[in-house]
Amino acid sequence: MKFNQYIEAFKEPGNLLGIASFMMLSAATWDLRVACVGAVAEALYLLVFADSNIYQKKLRDKENRLKEEAFRKEFDDLRSASIGRLSTPVAERFQTLEHIRNQVEEASADKETWYLDVVRKLDQMLMAFLNFGLKESQFRNHLHNAMRTLATQKKRTGNKIGPCPDGATLEEVEQWTRDVAEYITQSYSDEIADVENKIAQTQAADPNLPILQKRAELIRRRSEYAGKVGRMLVSMHHQMRLLEDTFGLISDEAQSRPPQQVLTDIEEAVFQSTLLTNAIDEFASSNEQVLTVGA
Protein backbone atom coordinates (compact mmCIF):
# COMPACT_ATOMS: atom_id res chain seq x y z
CA MET A 1 0.00 0.00 0.00
CA LYS A 2 1.44 3.33 -1.10
CA PHE A 3 0.01 6.56 0.30
CA ASN A 4 -0.17 9.90 -1.48
CA GLN A 5 1.51 12.29 0.95
CA TYR A 6 -0.62 15.27 -0.10
CA ILE A 7 -3.92 13.44 0.35
CA GLU A 8 -2.81 12.00 3.68
CA ALA A 9 -1.52 15.40 4.87
CA PHE A 10 -4.83 16.97 3.86
CA LYS A 11 -6.72 14.36 5.94
CA GLU A 12 -4.69 15.05 9.09
CA PRO A 13 -7.09 16.00 11.94
CA GLY A 14 -5.20 19.22 12.69
CA ASN A 15 -5.39 20.31 9.07
CA LEU A 16 -9.11 19.55 8.77
CA LEU A 17 -9.72 21.50 11.96
CA GLY A 18 -7.80 24.46 10.52
CA ILE A 19 -9.78 24.39 7.28
CA ALA A 20 -13.04 24.26 9.19
CA SER A 21 -11.96 27.21 11.35
CA PHE A 22 -11.14 29.37 8.31
CA MET A 23 -14.45 28.43 6.66
CA MET A 24 -16.42 29.29 9.79
CA LEU A 25 -14.55 32.58 10.23
CA SER A 26 -15.08 33.51 6.59
CA ALA A 27 -18.78 32.71 6.82
CA ALA A 28 -19.15 34.68 10.06
CA THR A 29 -17.38 37.82 8.79
CA TRP A 30 -18.49 37.61 5.15
CA ASP A 31 -14.88 38.46 4.30
CA LEU A 32 -13.44 36.65 1.29
CA ARG A 33 -9.96 37.70 2.34
CA VAL A 34 -10.17 35.24 5.23
CA ALA A 35 -10.95 32.44 2.77
CA CYS A 36 -8.04 33.52 0.56
CA VAL A 37 -5.67 33.54 3.51
CA GLY A 38 -6.89 30.08 4.43
CA ALA A 39 -6.32 28.80 0.88
CA VAL A 40 -2.78 30.19 0.82
CA ALA A 41 -2.04 28.71 4.24
CA GLU A 42 -3.34 25.33 3.10
CA ALA A 43 -1.16 25.39 -0.03
CA LEU A 44 1.92 26.24 2.00
CA TYR A 45 1.07 23.53 4.51
CA LEU A 46 0.78 20.90 1.80
CA LEU A 47 3.97 22.01 0.04
CA VAL A 48 6.09 22.20 3.18
CA PHE A 49 4.67 19.67 5.63
CA ALA A 50 3.66 16.91 3.18
CA ASP A 51 7.17 16.80 1.69
CA SER A 52 9.02 17.02 4.98
CA ASN A 53 11.24 14.16 6.11
CA ILE A 54 9.29 13.84 9.34
CA TYR A 55 5.98 13.34 7.55
CA GLN A 56 7.53 11.00 4.96
CA LYS A 57 8.81 8.81 7.80
CA LYS A 58 5.39 8.85 9.42
CA LEU A 59 3.80 7.62 6.19
CA ARG A 60 6.42 4.88 5.74
CA ASP A 61 5.80 3.68 9.28
CA LYS A 62 2.06 3.65 8.62
CA GLU A 63 2.50 1.74 5.36
CA ASN A 64 4.75 -0.83 7.06
CA ARG A 65 2.31 -1.23 9.92
CA LEU A 66 -0.63 -1.86 7.57
CA LYS A 67 1.43 -4.29 5.48
CA GLU A 68 2.40 -6.16 8.63
CA GLU A 69 -1.23 -6.33 9.78
CA ALA A 70 -2.38 -7.57 6.36
CA PHE A 71 0.37 -10.20 6.28
CA ARG A 72 -0.40 -11.39 9.82
CA LYS A 73 -4.09 -11.80 8.93
CA GLU A 74 -3.23 -13.70 5.74
CA PHE A 75 -0.79 -15.91 7.62
CA ASP A 76 -3.19 -16.60 10.52
CA ASP A 77 -6.02 -17.43 8.09
CA LEU A 78 -3.77 -19.80 6.13
CA ARG A 79 -2.49 -21.44 9.30
CA SER A 80 -6.00 -22.00 10.65
CA ALA A 81 -7.18 -23.45 7.35
CA SER A 82 -4.10 -25.61 6.80
CA ILE A 83 -3.23 -27.33 10.07
CA GLY A 84 -6.12 -29.80 9.90
CA ARG A 85 -5.41 -30.64 6.24
CA LEU A 86 -1.69 -31.33 6.52
CA SER A 87 -0.37 -34.84 7.02
CA THR A 88 0.76 -35.48 10.58
CA PRO A 89 4.51 -35.50 9.75
CA VAL A 90 4.27 -32.25 7.76
CA ALA A 91 2.24 -30.61 10.53
CA GLU A 92 4.90 -31.65 13.06
CA ARG A 93 7.66 -30.28 10.83
CA PHE A 94 5.78 -26.99 10.57
CA GLN A 95 5.40 -26.78 14.34
CA THR A 96 9.17 -27.30 14.70
CA LEU A 97 9.83 -24.41 12.30
CA GLU A 98 7.30 -22.23 14.12
CA HIS A 99 9.06 -22.96 17.41
CA ILE A 100 12.38 -21.82 15.93
CA ARG A 101 10.73 -18.68 14.62
CA ASN A 102 9.31 -17.89 18.06
CA GLN A 103 12.72 -18.40 19.64
CA VAL A 104 14.27 -15.93 17.20
CA GLU A 105 11.50 -13.43 17.95
CA GLU A 106 12.12 -13.75 21.70
CA ALA A 107 15.83 -13.23 21.14
CA SER A 108 15.10 -10.11 19.04
CA ALA A 109 13.43 -8.27 21.92
CA ASP A 110 15.25 -4.99 22.61
CA LYS A 111 17.75 -5.82 19.84
CA GLU A 112 18.69 -4.13 16.59
CA THR A 113 16.06 -3.49 13.91
CA TRP A 114 17.52 -6.17 11.62
CA TYR A 115 16.26 -8.86 14.00
CA LEU A 116 12.71 -7.79 13.15
CA ASP A 117 13.53 -8.16 9.45
CA VAL A 118 14.70 -11.71 10.14
CA VAL A 119 11.44 -12.55 11.93
CA ARG A 120 9.37 -11.14 9.06
CA LYS A 121 11.33 -13.21 6.55
CA LEU A 122 10.88 -16.33 8.68
CA ASP A 123 7.13 -15.72 8.64
CA GLN A 124 7.22 -15.61 4.84
CA MET A 125 9.09 -18.93 4.85
CA LEU A 126 6.51 -20.44 7.20
CA MET A 127 3.73 -19.39 4.85
CA ALA A 128 5.59 -20.92 1.91
CA PHE A 129 6.05 -24.17 3.86
CA LEU A 130 2.31 -24.34 4.58
CA ASN A 131 1.44 -23.76 0.93
CA PHE A 132 3.90 -26.42 -0.21
CA GLY A 133 2.55 -28.86 2.37
CA LEU A 134 -1.00 -28.44 1.03
CA LYS A 135 0.00 -28.70 -2.62
CA GLU A 136 2.31 -31.66 -1.95
CA SER A 137 -0.55 -33.68 -0.53
CA GLN A 138 -2.85 -32.71 -3.39
CA PHE A 139 -0.30 -33.59 -6.10
CA ARG A 140 0.68 -36.85 -4.41
CA ASN A 141 -2.95 -37.96 -4.17
CA HIS A 142 -3.51 -37.04 -7.81
CA LEU A 143 -0.64 -39.26 -8.98
CA HIS A 144 -1.74 -42.19 -6.84
CA ASN A 145 -5.36 -41.94 -7.95
CA ALA A 146 -4.35 -41.64 -11.61
CA MET A 147 -2.24 -44.80 -11.27
CA ARG A 148 -5.04 -46.65 -9.49
CA THR A 149 -7.58 -45.63 -12.13
CA LEU A 150 -5.33 -46.78 -14.98
CA ALA A 151 -4.72 -50.10 -13.23
CA THR A 152 -8.47 -50.64 -12.94
CA GLN A 153 -9.28 -49.60 -16.49
CA LYS A 154 -6.52 -51.56 -18.19
CA LYS A 155 -6.33 -54.42 -15.69
CA ARG A 156 -2.56 -54.06 -15.80
CA THR A 157 -0.59 -56.55 -13.75
CA GLY A 158 2.39 -55.83 -11.55
CA ASN A 159 0.86 -52.80 -9.88
CA LYS A 160 2.33 -53.15 -6.39
CA ILE A 161 2.90 -49.42 -5.79
CA GLY A 162 0.99 -48.23 -2.76
CA PRO A 163 0.33 -44.68 -1.59
CA CYS A 164 3.38 -42.60 -0.79
CA PRO A 165 3.84 -42.78 3.03
CA ASP A 166 3.20 -39.50 4.82
CA GLY A 167 6.51 -39.71 6.65
CA ALA A 168 8.58 -40.72 3.62
CA THR A 169 12.10 -39.35 3.28
CA LEU A 170 13.03 -37.17 0.34
CA GLU A 171 14.76 -40.12 -1.32
CA GLU A 172 11.68 -42.31 -0.81
CA VAL A 173 9.41 -39.63 -2.27
CA GLU A 174 11.63 -39.31 -5.33
CA GLN A 175 11.71 -43.08 -5.84
CA TRP A 176 7.94 -43.37 -5.35
CA THR A 177 7.37 -40.54 -7.83
CA ARG A 178 9.64 -42.15 -10.41
CA ASP A 179 7.88 -45.52 -10.00
CA VAL A 180 4.41 -44.02 -10.29
CA ALA A 181 5.39 -41.79 -13.24
CA GLU A 182 6.89 -44.81 -15.01
CA TYR A 183 3.75 -46.82 -14.43
CA ILE A 184 1.48 -44.02 -15.65
CA THR A 185 3.66 -43.25 -18.66
CA GLN A 186 3.82 -46.91 -19.70
CA SER A 187 0.06 -47.25 -19.28
CA TYR A 188 -0.58 -44.24 -21.47
CA SER A 189 2.00 -45.44 -24.01
CA ASP A 190 0.16 -48.75 -24.29
CA GLU A 191 -3.12 -46.91 -24.71
CA ILE A 192 -1.68 -44.59 -27.36
CA ALA A 193 -0.27 -47.57 -29.27
CA ASP A 194 -3.68 -49.23 -29.18
CA VAL A 195 -5.42 -46.09 -30.47
CA GLU A 196 -2.79 -45.50 -33.16
CA ASN A 197 -3.22 -49.08 -34.31
CA LYS A 198 -6.92 -48.43 -34.72
CA ILE A 199 -6.15 -45.20 -36.58
CA ALA A 200 -3.93 -47.11 -39.00
CA GLN A 201 -6.78 -49.50 -39.72
CA THR A 202 -9.38 -46.76 -40.17
CA GLN A 203 -10.17 -45.35 -43.58
CA ALA A 204 -9.84 -41.60 -44.17
CA ALA A 205 -13.57 -41.21 -44.82
CA ASP A 206 -14.52 -42.98 -41.60
CA PRO A 207 -16.23 -40.49 -39.21
CA ASN A 208 -14.48 -42.19 -36.27
CA LEU A 209 -11.03 -41.19 -37.52
CA PRO A 210 -11.08 -37.62 -36.08
CA ILE A 211 -12.32 -39.04 -32.77
CA LEU A 212 -9.48 -41.54 -32.59
CA GLN A 213 -6.93 -38.86 -33.49
CA LYS A 214 -8.29 -36.58 -30.77
CA ARG A 215 -8.10 -39.41 -28.26
CA ALA A 216 -4.44 -40.01 -29.07
CA GLU A 217 -3.72 -36.30 -28.61
CA LEU A 218 -5.50 -36.14 -25.26
CA ILE A 219 -3.77 -39.26 -23.95
CA ARG A 220 -0.38 -37.76 -24.81
CA ARG A 221 -1.31 -34.58 -22.99
CA ARG A 222 -2.41 -36.55 -19.94
CA SER A 223 0.91 -38.39 -19.93
CA GLU A 224 2.81 -35.09 -20.13
CA TYR A 225 0.64 -33.65 -17.36
CA ALA A 226 1.38 -36.55 -15.01
CA GLY A 227 5.08 -36.04 -15.65
CA LYS A 228 4.82 -32.35 -14.72
CA VAL A 229 2.94 -33.19 -11.52
CA GLY A 230 5.68 -35.65 -10.57
CA ARG A 231 8.47 -33.16 -11.19
CA MET A 232 6.70 -30.47 -9.18
CA LEU A 233 6.07 -32.92 -6.36
CA VAL A 234 9.80 -33.63 -6.08
CA SER A 235 10.60 -29.90 -6.36
CA MET A 236 8.22 -29.13 -3.50
CA HIS A 237 9.93 -31.68 -1.27
CA HIS A 238 13.35 -30.25 -2.09
CA GLN A 239 12.07 -26.73 -1.38
CA MET A 240 10.53 -27.75 1.94
CA ARG A 241 13.86 -29.28 2.95
CA LEU A 242 15.63 -26.09 1.91
CA LEU A 243 13.31 -24.05 4.11
CA GLU A 244 13.95 -26.38 7.04
CA ASP A 245 17.72 -26.21 6.52
CA THR A 246 17.55 -22.42 6.42
CA PHE A 247 15.56 -22.33 9.67
CA GLY A 248 18.13 -24.59 11.25
CA LEU A 249 20.98 -22.39 10.10
CA ILE A 250 19.28 -19.28 11.47
CA SER A 251 18.68 -21.03 14.78
CA ASP A 252 22.35 -22.00 14.97
CA GLU A 253 23.98 -18.77 13.84
CA ALA A 254 21.53 -15.86 14.03
CA GLN A 255 23.28 -14.19 16.93
CA SER A 256 26.85 -14.95 15.88
CA ARG A 257 26.89 -13.96 12.22
CA PRO A 258 26.79 -10.50 10.60
CA PRO A 259 23.19 -9.38 10.01
CA GLN A 260 23.60 -9.04 6.26
CA GLN A 261 24.79 -12.63 5.87
CA VAL A 262 21.81 -13.95 7.83
CA LEU A 263 19.33 -11.93 5.77
CA THR A 264 21.02 -12.98 2.53
CA ASP A 265 20.56 -16.68 3.35
CA ILE A 266 16.91 -16.11 4.21
CA GLU A 267 16.21 -13.97 1.16
CA GLU A 268 17.68 -16.62 -1.13
CA ALA A 269 15.35 -19.24 0.36
CA VAL A 270 12.37 -16.87 0.11
CA PHE A 271 13.25 -16.07 -3.52
CA GLN A 272 13.45 -19.75 -4.48
CA SER A 273 10.17 -20.42 -2.68
CA THR A 274 8.47 -17.55 -4.49
CA LEU A 275 9.61 -18.82 -7.89
CA LEU A 276 8.32 -22.32 -7.19
CA THR A 277 5.09 -21.01 -5.64
CA ASN A 278 4.37 -18.90 -8.72
CA ALA A 279 5.06 -21.86 -11.01
CA ILE A 280 2.80 -24.13 -8.97
CA ASP A 281 0.00 -21.56 -8.79
CA GLU A 282 0.15 -20.99 -12.54
CA PHE A 283 0.17 -24.73 -13.22
CA ALA A 284 -2.60 -25.48 -10.71
CA SER A 285 -4.86 -22.63 -11.86
CA SER A 286 -4.68 -23.78 -15.48
CA ASN A 287 -5.39 -27.39 -14.45
CA GLU A 288 -7.62 -26.85 -11.44
CA GLN A 289 -10.41 -29.11 -12.68
CA VAL A 290 -7.99 -31.95 -13.49
CA LEU A 291 -6.34 -31.74 -10.08
CA THR A 292 -9.69 -31.63 -8.29
CA VAL A 293 -10.97 -34.68 -10.12
CA GLY A 294 -7.76 -36.59 -9.53
CA ALA A 295 -7.42 -35.67 -5.86
Side-chain angles (χ1 to χ4, degrees):
M1 178 179 295
K2 185 69 175 177
F3 291 111
N4 182 300
Q5 68 264 36
Y6 301 109
I7 295 177
E8 295 303 312
F10 178 82
K11 294 190 298 184
E12 288 289 332
N15 183 57
L16 295 178
L17 180 60
I19 292 174
S21 299
F22 272 108
M23 291 177 63
M24 292 174 60
L25 182 60
S26 178
T29 61
W30 290 85
D31 190 345
L32 291 178
R33 289 175 296 179
V34 175
C36 291
V37 171
V40 171
E42 178 66 15
L44 290 173
Y45 161 78
L46 292 176
L47 288 174
V48 176
F49 180 71
D51 286 330
S52 67
N53 292 333
I54 295 177
Y55 193 66
Q56 292 293 319
K57 182 180 183 303
K58 179 180 179 179
L59 286 184
R60 285 195 299 270
D61 291 343
K62 183 178 180 181
E63 290 171 359
N64 291 334
R65 185 175 67 255
L66 292 177
K67 287 179 182 178
E68 182 69 18
E69 291 174 356
F71 177 82
R72 289 308 323 169
K73 183 180 185 307
E74 181 182 3
F75 177 81
D76 291 341
D77 290 346
L78 177 63
R79 188 185 187 285
S80 299
S82 302
I83 291 299
R85 297 163 57 193
L86 296 174
S87 65
T88 300
V90 172
E92 291 175 349
R93 289 161 63 189
F94 170 78
Q95 290 170 357
T96 298
L97 299 184
E98 196 170 39
H99 177 68
I100 295 174
R101 179 262 182 214
N102 292 336
Q103 286 183 320
V104 174
E105 184 180 40
E106 291 175 4
S108 69
D110 302 324
K111 295 290 183 65
E112 295 86 348
T113 304
W114 73 269
Y115 271 92
L116 298 178
D117 294 334
V118 170
V119 173
R120 293 190 185 97
K121 294 293 184 180
L122 292 180
D123 284 338
Q124 293 179 27
M125 291 166 62
L126 282 174
M127 180 176 285
F129 189 89
L130 282 177
N131 280 314
F132 290 142
L134 291 173
K135 291 297 184 183
E136 183 270 345
S137 178
Q138 184 182 14
F139 281 30
R140 179 156 43 87
N141 288 338
H142 174 81
L143 283 179
H144 181 255
N145 290 339
M147 177 189 64
R148 188 174 56 185
T149 299
L150 285 169
T152 302
Q153 290 175 345
K154 297 300 177 183
K155 297 182 173 57
R156 284 176 56 88
T157 60
N159 177 26
K160 298 180 180 180
I161 308 173
C164 183
D166 285 336
T169 65
L170 181 58
E171 291 74 18
E172 291 171 337
V173 171
E174 290 182 340
Q175 185 60 52
W176 180 88
T177 304
R178 282 194 294 268
D179 292 343
V180 172
E182 181 180 356
Y183 181 90
I184 293 175
T185 300
Q186 187 58 54
S187 297
Y188 283 137
S189 295
D190 293 346
E191 193 168 354
I192 290 172
D194 181 59
V195 174
E196 287 182 340
N197 183 53
K198 292 179 180 178
I199 291 175
Q201 300 175 16
T202 303
Q203 298 181 355
D206 193 321
N208 289 319
L209 182 59
I211 298 175
L212 291 171
Q213 292 172 333
K214 187 63 177 180
R215 279 197 63 204
E217 176 193 347
L218 292 179
I219 295 170
R220 288 192 184 91
R221 288 173 58 185
R222 294 186 70 183
S223 180
E224 294 171 357
Y225 175 81
K228 291 180 180 178
V229 171
R231 289 191 293 274
M232 284 194 171
L233 176 61
V234 173
S235 294
M236 279 187 281
H237 274 270
H238 278 291
Q239 189 62 48
M240 291 169 75
R241 296 299 187 192
L242 174 62
L243 292 173
E244 290 174 298
D245 290 339
T246 305
F247 265 88
L249 180 65
I250 301 309
S251 176
D252 295 339
E253 303 181 355
Q255 299 188 51
S256 61
R257 297 173 64 207
Q260 193 56 45
Q261 290 184 16
V262 176
L263 285 173
T264 297
D265 289 331
I266 298 177
E267 287 169 355
E268 288 178 357
V270 171
F271 177 72
Q272 294 295 331
S273 297
T274 301
L275 290 180
L276 182 56
T277 298
N278 292 340
I280 292 171
D281 288 344
E282 182 179 353
F283 176 74
S285 63
S286 61
N287 298 278
E288 182 175 0
Q289 185 175 359
V290 180
L291 276 173
T292 302
V293 172

